[in-house]
Amino acid sequence: MPASPSTARAINDRLALRLFQQEGPLTAGQLKQLTGLSRPTVADLVERLTAAGLIMVVGESGEQRRGPNAKVYGIVADRAHLAALDIRTEGVAVTVADLVGRVLAEASAPVGDDTGTGPAVEQAVALVERVVKEAGADRLHTVGIGAPGLIDPASGELRDSSGLPQWHRRLVAALQERLPEARVSVENETNLAALAEQRDGVARDRDTFVLLWLGHGTGAAVVLDGALRRGASGGTGEIGFLPVPGTAALPSSTDCEGGFHSLAASGAVVDLAAQCGISTEPGQEPSAVGVVRAAAGLVRSAVRDARGAETTAGASGTAREGEVSRSVRGAETSASPRAFPAASPRAVPAARFLDALADRIAVGVASVVAILDPGCVVLGGEVGQAGGDELAARVQERIARMTPLPTEVRTTALGGSAVLRGALLTARDRAQEELFTPGERPVRRW
């Protein structure tokens, strides 16, 4: 059955708006070429979208032809303003953008471990209000929040968790109260990171993949056939609770210690580096954010030392491959590092550390691969980014020996910023979904 005229107009309008979002400003002629619609149909939809306050003339283009210049149309970017928040155990980051996702202002602030729930919430809300003011926005249309923990699939709310600060849940409620006209939504941080990698990062060519988050804690996001999978209770990807060999105990329903978290979270990475003879800089360890930075710094330094040593070894012809590890936990029995020239004293512990870390990460990756067969695993978070291709290659080598399922291991393109980027993308999608609904409406600025 052919679509009714009103349905056809709605479809064409939405198609045009998506093209404006993807391609940027366009002339009516370019819109005709991209949509395949007739010139009169394009003229009608441009008139409708302009009258609705969704697009406007943003310039002119000669299009290399005689006659008057063609008008160039673009989305009315200030029709709505959006905010994205990345809530961490140790602080919060805020970005405010316009309707097309252009960042107007951003800031972050730490929240100390000893800060009470009420003061922490007020500090975070004040940061949001300051960034909104700096962006020149009168109000917010949509707010997207990324937070650690489980999101109830029925209510969309952040579930109470004994391992996370209480101010996280209170902040979401406080923003809904202080911004009554805004649409506020919250999503698991790792899920948002995966969406960002799928849209703007290293997974743009993959419909199915898993993102393994390696930061303060661990997590996984599962994208199958282009769709994010959350599970029956919203807990898909809680890999920190995965029982693994080499830990002192099993995880519990309220504590992931003893699970994969004990092998690959930032605190475990710092401890592993010490076992391999690599120490952190003094004063880096006390806070949660300090541990994350210390872990990422140790991995980054080890990669640099290992790469430099391999280059020297390659030039001198003295490198040889070591044996494969048979241990997960113990650094002392980890993969024997390649032999490096004596001129690189830091190379041996660096390679030993990267090999031992890859052993640990491979345990979690192999479990995911055995169940989901994603074909691609992205190492995300601050530690995944710091490890780069060196760490990814080591993990992929181990996975190739542990499973018959071909799996590519990639390094995040976005690192720790992926959560904020994902929150902004979801806020933009939600706002556009509402505002791009065709039909006459009064123009209202958000």
Side-chain angles (χ1 to χ4, degrees), residues 206 365-377 395-409:
R206 305 292 307 201
V365 172
S367 300
V368 169
V369 169
I371 300 299
L372 298 175
D373 186 19
C376 176
V377 174
V395 174
Q396 183 163 326
E397 288 172 1
R398 286 153 176 78
I399 296 303
R401 295 193 296 266
M402 296 169 71
T403 173
L405 306 177
T407 305
E408 181 182 2
V409 180

Side-chain angles (χ1 to χ4, degrees), residues 77-93:
D78 63 354
R79 173 71 185 276
H81 289 95
L82 324 168
L85 280 73
D86 179 4
I87 303 174
R88 302 289 182 97
T89 303
E90 70 280 357
V92 60

